[in-house]
Amino acid sequence: MRFLSRCGAWLLATILAVLAAAPAAAELVAVIAGAKPSILAVGTFNALNNPGFRFRGTGFVVDDGRHAITNAHVLPMSGDADAGDRLIVVLSGSDGRQGRGATVVATDPVYDLALLKFDGAALPALKFAPEGAVADGRAVALVGYPIGVVFGFVPVSHRGIIAATVPVAQPLPNARLLDQRTVFRMRQGSFDIYQLDATAYPGNSGSPLLDADSGLVLGVVNSVHVKATRESALSHPTGISYAIPARHAAALLSKR
């Protein structure tokens, strides 16, 4: 009887846990569905190239629906573009022929962020979360193009948690490990970033980091530059992902 009682208690606890998780799962489904129309593929277009569109990273719509945030390193450098290339953003779910011309409004090299303005009608905009501490363990989701647009202009979603808030640069065991990027970051001064228990890939650069409950933007995924700075002491970089806190992206809106 004691065994049956323990089994009954375990079964009841399992049922209650499943029921408790159901609303959270439903909220995440709604958050992702609501975010996808705001996700953009950022790249260049050149009619002389095949393919004409060259994907560079992810962006997301903000403010008045005609601006977008992405990482600064997603933008083509002066020597990294062919004659005739123009910066465009492509809407999620598009066939790639609905690109809109875009211009760079402002960049912030310290936080590796950029604000773009694009042509055409306004799109649904994501909202930034209010400033404040983001607790470790907070459930998050990121939406973007982790492997580019190889399989079409369909955003992919990942979920996880804020694993920790850590400094973007850390002391190195010896000077031989210093590189140009790390020296630049240390001269600018360190700042806190979010370390994620979620998988992000180079194509996710510029993806919004969303609060899994509200859909508000907590940060901007940076899976290249921040990783290189943070893990410069490692000979074999980890699979850890990072995001720049949203307040730094929100500050760029004052320059529009």
Side-chain angles (χ1 to χ4, degrees), residues 8-35:
W10 174 84
L11 181 59
L12 178 60
T14 301
I15 292 172
L16 291 175
V18 170
L19 291 175
E27 288 171 0
L28 182 57
V29 169
V31 162
I32 291 172

Side-chain angles (χ1 to χ4, degrees), residues 12 39 45 49 65 67 121 135 149 155 159 175 183-184 218 223 253 255:
L12 178 60
I39 307 302
F45 180 81
N49 292 336
H67 288 79
V149 292
R159 67 175 181 173
V183 170
F184 171 80
L218 298 175
S223 58
L253 296 182
K255 302 180 181 182

